[in-house]
Amino acid sequence: MKPFRIAVFASGEGTNFQAMVDAWQDGYFGEPDATTIELLVSDKPQAPVVQRAIQAGVDTYVFHPKEYSSREQYELEIVAELQRREIDLIVLAGYMRLLTPTIVDPYMGRMINVHPSLLPAFPGKDALGQALSYGVKVTGITVHFVDNGMDTGPIIAQQSIEVQQQDTAETLAERIHDIERKLYPLVVAQIAKGKVTLEGRQVIVEA
């Protein structure tokens, strides 16, 4: 039986990538042969996440965006690599490139992202700064499917945290990242085990 194959896209430190690898290696995604983290895709060849992948024994696909005339050009190459490897799920984990329909459309319903707010509140850049400026008392994270909008895809899971009076963007980010590293692998495990169904904008998650 073909394993469920995951590709992670990341550009930076790779803490969420590491959380995925740890969960996978600990059997959190099911039997070791049933699910694999097949590939790391990164637009930053020198990023720490690339070294994390190498240390974990995960194949890497790295590229220099400036070597291409357009986003679509390098995304076509990425899609070809994903299809060659029969990737079932793309996990965006701090990937800092905007995506075009070239890659989103063929993986609609099979690409997920984590965003540091309770969507639809505070989409886009600097969600934590937006939340603090607005003065909300509660914020959190959202795991959602990716569509062609800005953080507008169907919501799979959310978790809230209270904003403390003394919070700065840095202290809030630290607590947000703590829950990201727990909730994101949980959602990936649910998808890998076939417990997540997308019907229009509604996401059904089996217990």
Side-chain angles (χ1 to χ4, degrees):
M1 182 177 175
K2 172 184 171 295
F4 186 87
R5 294 173 177 161
I6 298 168
V8 181
F9 286 39
S11 301
E13 289 291 330
T15 54
N16 275 333
F17 171 80
Q18 190 64 55
M20 294 294 168
V21 168
D22 292 345
W24 168 49
Q25 293 178 340
D26 290 344
Y28 194 60
F29 297 163
E31 294 299 320
D33 294 336
T35 302
T36 66
I37 297 181
E38 184 78 12
L39 186 67
L40 169 77
V41 175
S42 182
D43 61 322
K44 304 282 187 184
Q46 304 305 317
V49 69
V50 176
Q51 291 305 311
R52 289 181 187 268
I54 292 169
Q55 291 171 4
V58 174
D59 288 350
T60 62
Y61 180 94
V62 298
F63 64 99
H64 295 275
K66 291 182 179 179
E67 295 178 355
Y68 297 83
S69 61
S70 67
R71 288 193 183 102
E72 289 82 1
Q73 188 181 32
Y74 62 70
E75 285 187 351
L76 282 171
E77 290 189 5
I78 294 171
V79 168
E81 180 68 13
L82 298 174
Q83 292 176 341
R84 185 181 73 81
R85 291 174 178 266
E86 299 182 321
I87 294 299
D88 297 294
L89 178 70
I90 297 173
V91 177
L92 303 182
Y95 182 66
M96 303 310 292
R97 293 273 156 188
L98 292 175
L99 300 174
T100 78
T102 299
I103 193 167
V104 173
D105 287 353
Y107 285 92
M108 194 78 72
R110 296 189 294 152
M111 180 188 300
I112 62 173
N113 183 47
V114 63
H115 184 75
S117 78
L118 296 175
L119 293 172
F122 314 124
K125 293 183 178 179
D126 193 24
L128 298 181
Q130 291 183 62
L132 289 172
S133 296
Y134 200 86
V136 297
K137 305 304 181 187
V138 176
T139 188
I141 69 167
T142 301
V143 181
H144 64 95
F145 285 109
V146 175
D147 62 12
N148 285 305
M150 178 64 75
D151 300 319
T152 55
I155 291 170
I156 305 168
Q158 293 181 303
Q159 187 169 334
S160 64
I161 61 170
E162 291 187 7
V163 179
Q164 299 172 1
Q165 191 168 344
Q166 69 274 21
D167 264 330
T168 63
E170 290 74 22
T171 60
L172 186 56
E174 185 175 344
R175 302 206 319 281
I176 287 281
H177 292 155
D178 283 344
I179 61 174
E180 276 183 0
R181 288 190 287 267
K182 296 172 184 174
L183 183 62
Y184 211 11
L186 171 61
V187 170
V188 171
Q190 290 170 325
I191 293 172
K193 294 174 183 177
K195 294 185 176 183
V196 176
T197 305
L198 177 61
E199 296 182 2
R201 282 205 60 86
Q202 300 303 312
V203 179
I204 297 132
V205 182
E206 295 179 23

Coordinates of all heavy atoms in Angstrom, one line a residue, residues 52-128:
R52 N 18.1 21.1 9.2 CA 17.2 20.2 10.0 C 16.7 19.0 9.2 O 16.6 17.9 9.7 CB 16.0 21.0 10.6 CG 16.3 22.0 11.6 CD 15.0 22.7 12.1 NE 15.1 23.8 13.0 CZ 15.1 23.7 14.3 NH1 14.9 22.5 14.9 NH2 15.2 24.7 15.1
A53 N 16.3 19.3 7.9 CA 15.9 18.2 7.1 C 17.0 17.2 6.8 O 16.7 16.0 6.8 CB 15.4 18.8 5.8
I54 N 18.2 17.7 6.5 CA 19.3 16.8 6.2 C 19.6 15.9 7.4 O 19.7 14.7 7.3 CB 20.5 17.6 5.9 CG1 20.3 18.3 4.5 CG2 21.8 16.8 5.8 CD1 21.4 19.4 4.1
Q55 N 19.5 16.5 8.6 CA 19.8 15.7 9.9 C 18.7 14.7 10.1 O 18.9 13.6 10.7 CB 19.9 16.7 11.1 CG 21.1 17.6 11.0 CD 21.1 18.6 12.1 OE1 20.2 18.7 12.9 NE2 22.1 19.5 12.1
A56 N 17.5 15.0 9.7 CA 16.3 14.1 9.8 C 16.3 13.0 8.7 O 15.4 12.2 8.8 CB 15.0 14.9 9.9
G57 N 17.1 13.2 7.7 CA 17.1 12.2 6.6 C 16.0 12.5 5.6 O 15.5 11.6 4.9
V58 N 15.5 13.7 5.6 CA 14.4 14.1 4.7 C 15.0 14.8 3.4 O 15.9 15.7 3.6 CB 13.4 15.1 5.4 CG1 12.4 15.6 4.4 CG2 12.7 14.4 6.6
D59 N 14.6 14.3 2.3 CA 15.1 14.9 1.0 C 14.7 16.4 0.9 O 13.7 16.8 1.5 CB 14.5 14.2 -0.2 CG 15.1 12.8 -0.4 OD1 16.1 12.5 0.3 OD2 14.5 12.0 -1.2
T60 N 15.6 17.2 0.3 CA 15.3 18.6 0.1 C 15.2 19.0 -1.3 O 15.9 18.4 -2.2 CB 16.4 19.4 0.8 OG1 17.7 19.1 0.2 CG2 16.5 19.1 2.3
Y61 N 14.4 20.0 -1.6 CA 14.3 20.6 -2.9 C 14.5 22.1 -2.6 O 13.6 22.8 -2.1 CB 13.0 20.3 -3.6 CG 12.9 21.0 -5.0 CD1 13.2 20.3 -6.1 CD2 12.4 22.3 -5.1 CE1 13.1 20.9 -7.4 CE2 12.3 22.9 -6.3 CZ 12.7 22.2 -7.5 OH 12.6 22.8 -8.7
V62 N 15.6 22.7 -2.9 CA 15.9 24.1 -2.7 C 16.1 24.8 -4.0 O 16.6 24.2 -5.0 CB 17.1 24.3 -1.7 CG1 16.8 23.6 -0.4 CG2 18.4 23.7 -2.3
F63 N 15.8 26.1 -4.0 CA 15.9 26.8 -5.2 C 16.1 28.3 -4.9 O 15.9 28.8 -3.8 CB 14.7 26.7 -6.1 CG 13.4 27.2 -5.5 CD1 12.9 28.5 -5.8 CD2 12.7 26.5 -4.5 CE1 11.8 29.0 -5.3 CE2 11.5 27.0 -4.0 CZ 11.1 28.2 -4.3
H64 N 16.7 29.0 -5.9 CA 16.9 30.5 -5.8 C 15.8 31.2 -6.6 O 15.9 31.2 -7.9 CB 18.3 30.9 -6.3 CG 19.4 30.3 -5.4 ND1 19.9 30.9 -4.3 CD2 20.1 29.2 -5.6 CE1 20.9 30.2 -3.8 NE2 21.0 29.2 -4.6
P65 N 14.8 31.8 -6.0 CA 13.8 32.5 -6.8 C 14.3 33.5 -7.8 O 13.7 33.6 -8.9 CB 12.9 33.1 -5.7 CG 13.1 32.3 -4.5 CD 14.6 31.9 -4.6
K66 N 15.4 34.2 -7.5 CA 15.9 35.2 -8.4 C 16.4 34.6 -9.7 O 16.6 35.4 -10.7 CB 17.0 36.0 -7.7 CG 16.4 36.9 -6.6 CD 17.5 37.7 -6.0 CE 17.0 38.6 -4.8 NZ 18.0 39.4 -4.2
E67 N 16.6 33.3 -9.8 CA 17.1 32.7 -11.0 C 16.0 32.4 -12.0 O 16.2 32.0 -13.1 CB 17.8 31.4 -10.7 CG 19.1 31.5 -9.9 CD 19.7 30.2 -9.5 OE1 19.1 29.2 -9.8 OE2 20.8 30.2 -8.9
Y68 N 14.7 32.8 -11.6 CA 13.6 32.5 -12.5 C 12.9 33.9 -12.9 O 13.0 34.8 -12.1 CB 12.5 31.6 -11.7 CG 13.1 30.3 -11.4 CD1 13.8 30.1 -10.2 CD2 12.8 29.2 -12.2 CE1 14.3 28.8 -9.9 CE2 13.3 27.9 -11.9 CZ 14.1 27.7 -10.8 OH 14.5 26.5 -10.4
S69 N 12.3 33.8 -14.0 CA 11.7 35.1 -14.5 C 10.3 35.4 -13.8 O 9.8 36.5 -13.9 CB 11.5 35.0 -16.0 OG 10.6 33.9 -16.3
S70 N 9.7 34.4 -13.2 CA 8.4 34.6 -12.5 C 8.2 33.5 -11.5 O 8.9 32.5 -11.5 CB 7.3 34.5 -13.6 OG 7.2 33.2 -14.1
R71 N 7.2 33.8 -10.6 CA 6.8 32.7 -9.6 C 6.3 31.5 -10.3 O 6.6 30.4 -9.9 CB 5.7 33.3 -8.7 CG 6.2 34.3 -7.7 CD 5.1 34.5 -6.6 NE 5.5 35.6 -5.7 CZ 5.0 36.8 -5.8 NH1 4.1 37.2 -6.7 NH2 5.3 37.8 -4.9
E72 N 5.5 31.7 -11.4 CA 4.9 30.6 -12.1 C 6.0 29.6 -12.6 O 5.8 28.4 -12.6 CB 4.1 31.1 -13.2 CG 2.8 31.7 -12.8 CD 2.9 33.2 -12.3 OE1 4.1 33.7 -12.4 OE2 1.9 33.8 -11.9
Q73 N 7.1 30.2 -13.0 CA 8.2 29.4 -13.6 C 8.8 28.4 -12.6 O 8.9 27.2 -12.9 CB 9.3 30.3 -14.2 CG 10.3 29.5 -15.0 CD 11.5 30.4 -15.6 OE1 11.8 31.4 -15.0 NE2 12.0 30.0 -16.7
Y74 N 9.1 28.9 -11.4 CA 9.7 28.0 -10.4 C 8.6 27.1 -9.8 O 8.9 25.9 -9.4 CB 10.6 28.6 -9.4 CG 9.9 29.7 -8.5 CD1 9.0 29.3 -7.5 CD2 10.3 31.0 -8.5 CE1 8.4 30.2 -6.6 CE2 9.7 31.9 -7.7 CZ 8.8 31.5 -6.7 OH 8.3 32.5 -5.8
E75 N 7.4 27.6 -9.8 CA 6.3 26.7 -9.2 C 6.0 25.5 -10.2 O 5.7 24.5 -9.7 CB 5.0 27.5 -9.0 CG 5.2 28.4 -7.7 CD 3.9 29.1 -7.4 OE1 2.9 29.1 -8.2 OE2 3.8 29.7 -6.3
L76 N 6.1 25.7 -11.4 CA 6.0 24.6 -12.4 C 7.0 23.5 -12.1 O 6.6 22.3 -12.1 CB 6.1 25.1 -13.8 CG 4.9 25.8 -14.4 CD1 5.2 26.4 -15.8 CD2 3.7 24.9 -14.6
E77 N 8.2 23.9 -11.8 CA 9.2 22.9 -11.5 C 8.9 22.2 -10.1 O 9.1 21.0 -10.0 CB 10.6 23.6 -11.4 CG 11.1 24.0 -12.8 CD 12.6 24.5 -12.7 OE1 13.2 24.3 -11.6 OE2 13.1 25.0 -13.8
I78 N 8.4 23.0 -9.2 CA 8.1 22.4 -7.9 C 6.9 21.4 -8.1 O 7.0 20.3 -7.5 CB 7.7 23.5 -6.9 CG1 8.9 24.4 -6.5 CG2 7.1 22.8 -5.6 CD1 8.6 25.6 -5.7
V79 N 5.9 21.8 -8.8 CA 4.8 20.9 -9.0 C 5.2 19.6 -9.7 O 4.8 18.5 -9.3 CB 3.7 21.6 -9.9 CG1 2.6 20.6 -10.4 CG2 3.0 22.7 -9.1
A80 N 6.1 19.7 -10.7 CA 6.6 18.5 -11.3 C 7.3 17.6 -10.3 O 7.1 16.3 -10.4 CB 7.6 18.9 -12.4
E81 N 8.1 18.2 -9.4 CA 8.8 17.4 -8.4 C 7.8 16.7 -7.4 O 7.9 15.6 -7.0 CB 9.8 18.2 -7.6 CG 10.5 17.5 -6.5 CD 11.5 16.4 -7.1 OE1 11.8 16.4 -8.3 OE2 12.0 15.6 -6.3
L82 N 6.8 17.5 -7.0 CA 5.7 17.0 -6.1 C 5.0 15.8 -6.8 O 4.7 14.8 -6.1 CB 4.7 18.1 -5.7 CG 5.3 19.3 -4.9 CD1 4.2 20.3 -4.8 CD2 5.9 18.8 -3.6
Q83 N 4.6 16.0 -8.0 CA 3.9 14.9 -8.8 C 4.8 13.7 -9.0 O 4.3 12.6 -8.9 CB 3.4 15.5 -10.1 CG 2.3 16.5 -9.9 CD 1.9 17.2 -11.2 OE1 2.6 17.1 -12.2 NE2 0.7 17.8 -11.2
R84 N 6.1 13.9 -9.2 CA 7.0 12.8 -9.4 C 7.0 11.9 -8.1 O 7.1 10.7 -8.2 CB 8.4 13.3 -9.7 CG 9.4 12.2 -10.1 CD 10.7 12.7 -10.4 NE 11.4 13.3 -9.2 CZ 12.1 12.5 -8.3 NH1 12.1 11.2 -8.5 NH2 12.7 13.0 -7.3
R85 N 7.0 12.6 -7.0 CA 7.0 11.9 -5.7 C 5.7 11.5 -5.2 O 5.6 11.0 -4.1 CB 7.7 12.8 -4.7 CG 9.2 13.1 -4.9 CD 9.8 14.1 -4.0 NE 11.2 14.3 -4.2 CZ 12.2 13.6 -3.5 NH1 11.9 12.7 -2.6 NH2 13.5 13.8 -3.8
E86 N 4.6 11.8 -5.9 CA 3.2 11.4 -5.5 C 2.9 12.0 -4.2 O 2.4 11.3 -3.3 CB 3.1 9.9 -5.6 CG 3.3 9.3 -7.0 CD 3.1 7.8 -7.0 OE1 3.4 7.1 -6.0 OE2 2.5 7.4 -8.0
I87 N 3.1 13.3 -4.0 CA 2.8 13.9 -2.7 C 1.3 14.0 -2.5 O 0.6 14.5 -3.4 CB 3.5 15.3 -2.7 CG1 5.0 15.2 -2.7 CG2 3.0 16.1 -1.4 CD1 5.6 14.5 -1.5
D88 N 0.9 13.7 -1.3 CA -0.5 13.7 -0.9 C -0.9 15.0 -0.2 O -2.1 15.4 -0.3 CB -0.9 12.5 -0.1 CG -0.7 11.2 -0.8 OD1 -1.4 11.0 -1.7 OD2 0.2 10.4 -0.4
L89 N 0.0 15.6 0.5 CA -0.3 16.8 1.3 C 0.9 17.7 1.4 O 2.0 17.3 1.6 CB -0.7 16.3 2.8 CG -1.0 17.5 3.8 CD1 -2.3 18.1 3.4 CD2 -1.0 17.0 5.2
I90 N 0.6 19.0 1.1 CA 1.6 20.1 1.3 C 1.3 20.8 2.6 O 0.2 21.2 2.9 CB 1.6 21.1 0.1 CG1 1.9 20.4 -1.2 CG2 2.5 22.2 0.4 CD1 1.8 21.2 -2.4
V91 N 2.3 20.9 3.4 CA 2.2 21.6 4.7 C 3.1 22.8 4.7 O 4.3 22.7 4.6 CB 2.7 20.7 5.9 CG1 2.7 21.4 7.2 CG2 1.8 19.4 6.0
L92 N 2.5 24.0 4.7 CA 3.2 25.3 4.7 C 3.6 25.6 6.1 O 2.8 25.7 7.0 CB 2.4 26.4 4.1 CG 1.9 26.2 2.7 CD1 1.1 27.4 2.2 CD2 3.0 25.9 1.7
A93 N 4.9 25.7 6.4 CA 5.4 25.9 7.7 C 6.5 27.0 7.8 O 7.7 26.8 7.9 CB 6.1 24.6 8.2
G94 N 5.9 28.2 7.6 CA 6.8 29.4 7.6 C 7.5 29.5 6.2 O 8.6 29.9 6.1
Y95 N 6.7 29.3 5.1 CA 7.2 29.5 3.8 C 6.8 30.9 3.4 O 5.6 31.3 3.4 CB 6.5 28.5 2.8 CG 6.9 28.5 1.4 CD1 8.2 28.2 1.0 CD2 6.1 28.9 0.4 CE1 8.7 28.2 -0.3 CE2 6.4 28.9 -0.9 CZ 7.7 28.6 -1.3 OH 8.1 28.7 -2.6
M96 N 7.8 31.7 3.0 CA 7.6 33.1 2.9 C 7.4 33.6 1.5 O 7.6 34.8 1.2 CB 8.9 33.9 3.5 CG 9.1 33.5 5.0 SD 7.7 33.6 6.0 CE 7.4 35.4 6.1
R97 N 7.0 32.7 0.6 CA 6.7 33.1 -0.8 C 5.2 33.1 -1.0 O 4.5 32.1 -0.6 CB 7.3 32.2 -1.7 CG 8.9 32.2 -1.7 CD 9.3 33.3 -2.7 NE 10.7 33.8 -2.3 CZ 11.3 34.8 -2.9 NH1 10.7 35.5 -3.8 NH2 12.5 35.2 -2.4
L98 N 4.6 34.1 -1.7 CA 3.3 34.0 -2.1 C 3.1 32.9 -3.1 O 4.0 32.7 -4.0 CB 2.8 35.4 -2.7 CG 2.7 36.5 -1.7 CD1 2.4 37.8 -2.4 CD2 1.7 36.3 -0.6
L99 N 2.0 32.2 -3.1 CA 1.7 31.1 -4.0 C 0.8 31.6 -5.1 O -0.2 32.4 -4.8 CB 1.2 29.9 -3.2 CG 2.0 29.3 -2.2 CD1 1.3 28.2 -1.4 CD2 3.3 28.8 -2.7
T100 N 0.9 31.0 -6.3 CA 0.0 31.4 -7.4 C -0.8 30.1 -7.7 O -0.6 29.0 -7.2 CB 0.8 31.7 -8.7 OG1 1.3 30.5 -9.3 CG2 2.0 32.6 -8.4
P101 N -1.9 30.3 -8.5 CA -2.7 29.2 -8.9 C -1.9 28.0 -9.5 O -2.4 26.9 -9.6 CB -3.7 29.8 -9.9 CG -3.8 31.2 -9.4 CD -2.4 31.6 -9.0
T102 N -0.7 28.3 -10.0 CA 0.1 27.3 -10.7 C 0.3 26.1 -9.7 O 0.2 24.9 -10.1 CB 1.4 27.8 -11.1 OG1 1.2 28.9 -12.0 CG2 2.3 26.7 -11.7
I103 N 0.5 26.4 -8.4 CA 0.7 25.3 -7.4 C -0.6 25.1 -6.6 O -0.8 24.0 -6.1 CB 1.9 25.6 -6.6 CG1 2.3 24.4 -5.8 CG2 1.7 26.8 -5.6 CD1 3.7 24.5 -5.2
V104 N -1.3 26.2 -6.3 CA -2.5 26.1 -5.4 C -3.6 25.2 -6.1 O -4.1 24.3 -5.4 CB -3.1 27.4 -5.1 CG1 -4.4 27.3 -4.3 CG2 -2.0 28.2 -4.2
D105 N -3.9 25.4 -7.4 CA -5.0 24.8 -8.0 C -4.9 23.2 -8.0 O -5.8 22.5 -7.7 CB -5.2 25.3 -9.4 CG -5.9 26.7 -9.4 OD1 -6.2 27.2 -8.3 OD2 -5.9 27.3 -10.5
P106 N -3.7 22.7 -8.4 CA -3.6 21.2 -8.4 C -3.6 20.6 -7.0 O -3.8 19.4 -6.9 CB -2.3 20.9 -9.2 CG -1.5 22.2 -9.1 CD -2.5 23.3 -9.0
Y107 N -3.3 21.4 -6.0 CA -3.3 20.9 -4.7 C -4.4 21.4 -3.8 O -4.3 21.4 -2.5 CB -1.9 21.1 -4.0 CG -0.9 20.1 -4.6 CD1 -0.1 20.5 -5.7 CD2 -0.8 18.8 -4.1 CE1 0.7 19.5 -6.3 CE2 0.1 17.9 -4.7 CZ 0.8 18.3 -5.8 OH 1.7 17.4 -6.4
M108 N -5.4 22.0 -4.4 CA -6.6 22.5 -3.6 C -7.2 21.4 -2.8 O -7.4 20.3 -3.3 CB -7.6 23.1 -4.6 CG -8.7 23.9 -3.9 SD -8.1 25.6 -3.5 CE -8.0 26.3 -5.1
G109 N -7.3 21.6 -1.5 CA -7.8 20.6 -0.6 C -6.8 19.6 -0.1 O -7.0 18.7 0.7
R110 N -5.5 19.9 -0.6 CA -4.4 19.0 -0.2 C -3.2 19.9 0.3 O -2.1 19.4 0.3 CB -4.0 18.1 -1.3 CG -5.1 17.1 -1.7 CD -4.5 16.0 -2.6 NE -4.2 16.6 -3.9 CZ -3.2 16.1 -4.7 NH1 -2.5 15.1 -4.4 NH2 -3.0 16.7 -5.9
M111 N -3.5 21.2 0.6 CA -2.4 22.1 1.0 C -3.0 22.8 2.3 O -4.1 23.4 2.2 CB -2.0 23.0 -0.1 CG -0.9 24.0 0.3 SD -0.6 25.3 -0.9 CE -0.2 24.4 -2.3
I112 N -2.2 22.8 3.3 CA -2.6 23.5 4.6 C -1.6 24.5 5.0 O -0.4 24.4 4.7 CB -2.9 22.5 5.7 CG1 -1.7 21.7 6.1 CG2 -4.1 21.5 5.3 CD1 -1.9 20.8 7.3
N113 N -2.1 25.4 5.8 CA -1.2 26.5 6.4 C -1.6 26.7 7.8 O -2.8 26.4 8.2 CB -1.4 27.8 5.6 CG -0.5 28.9 6.1 OD1 0.7 28.7 6.3 ND2 -1.0 30.1 6.2
V114 N -0.7 27.3 8.6 CA -1.0 27.7 10.0 C -0.8 29.2 10.0 O 0.2 29.8 9.5 CB -0.2 27.0 11.0 CG1 1.3 27.3 10.9 CG2 -0.7 27.3 12.5
H115 N -1.8 29.9 10.6 CA -1.8 31.4 10.7 C -2.0 31.8 12.1 O -2.8 31.3 12.8 CB -2.9 32.0 9.8 CG -2.9 33.5 9.7 ND1 -2.0 34.2 9.0 CD2 -3.7 34.4 10.4 CE1 -2.2 35.5 9.2 NE2 -3.2 35.6 10.0
P116 N -1.2 32.8 12.6 CA -1.2 33.2 14.0 C -2.3 34.2 14.3 O -2.1 35.3 14.9 CB 0.2 33.8 14.2 CG 0.5 34.4 12.9 CD -0.1 33.5 11.8
S117 N -3.5 33.8 14.0 CA -4.7 34.6 14.5 C -5.9 33.7 14.4 O -5.8 32.6 13.8 CB -4.9 35.9 13.7 OG -5.5 35.6 12.4
L118 N -7.0 34.1 14.9 CA -8.3 33.4 14.8 C -9.0 33.9 13.6 O -9.8 34.9 13.6 CB -9.1 33.6 16.0 CG -8.5 33.0 17.3 CD1 -9.4 33.3 18.5 CD2 -8.4 31.5 17.2
L119 N -8.6 33.4 12.4 CA -9.2 33.8 11.2 C -10.8 33.7 11.2 O -11.3 32.8 11.9 CB -8.7 33.0 10.0 CG -7.2 33.2 9.7 CD1 -6.8 32.2 8.6 CD2 -6.9 34.6 9.2
P120 N -11.5 34.6 10.6 CA -11.0 35.6 9.6 C -10.4 36.9 10.1 O -10.1 37.8 9.4 CB -12.3 35.9 8.8 CG -13.4 35.7 9.8 CD -13.0 34.6 10.7
A121 N -10.2 37.0 11.5 CA -9.6 38.2 12.0 C -8.1 38.2 11.7 O -7.4 37.2 11.7 CB -9.7 38.2 13.5
F122 N -7.6 39.4 11.3 CA -6.2 39.7 11.1 C -5.4 38.7 10.1 O -4.5 38.1 10.5 CB -5.4 39.6 12.5 CG -6.2 40.4 13.5 CD1 -6.5 39.8 14.7 CD2 -6.5 41.7 13.3 CE1 -7.2 40.5 15.7 CE2 -7.2 42.5 14.3 CZ -7.5 41.9 15.5
P123 N -5.9 38.7 8.9 CA -5.2 37.9 7.9 C -4.0 38.6 7.4 O -3.7 39.8 7.8 CB -6.2 37.8 6.7 CG -7.0 39.0 6.9 CD -7.1 39.3 8.4
G124 N -3.1 38.0 6.6 CA -2.0 38.6 6.0 C -0.8 38.8 7.0 O -0.7 38.1 8.0
K125 N 0.0 39.8 6.7 CA 1.3 40.0 7.5 C 1.0 40.6 8.8 O 0.0 41.3 9.1 CB 2.2 40.9 6.7 CG 2.8 40.3 5.4 CD 3.7 41.2 4.7 CE 4.3 40.6 3.4 NZ 5.3 41.6 2.8
D126 N 1.9 40.3 9.7 CA 2.0 40.8 11.1 C 0.7 40.7 11.8 O 0.1 41.6 12.4 CB 2.4 42.3 11.0 CG 2.7 42.9 12.4 OD1 3.1 42.1 13.3 OD2 2.6 44.1 12.6
A127 N 0.1 39.5 11.8 CA -1.1 39.2 12.5 C -1.1 39.5 14.0 O -2.0 40.0 14.6 CB -1.5 37.8 12.3
L128 N 0.1 39.3 14.6 CA 0.2 39.5 16.0 C 0.2 41.0 16.3 O -0.4 41.5 17.3 CB 1.5 38.9 16.6 CG 1.6 37.4 16.5 CD1 2.9 36.9 17.1 CD2 0.4 36.7 17.2

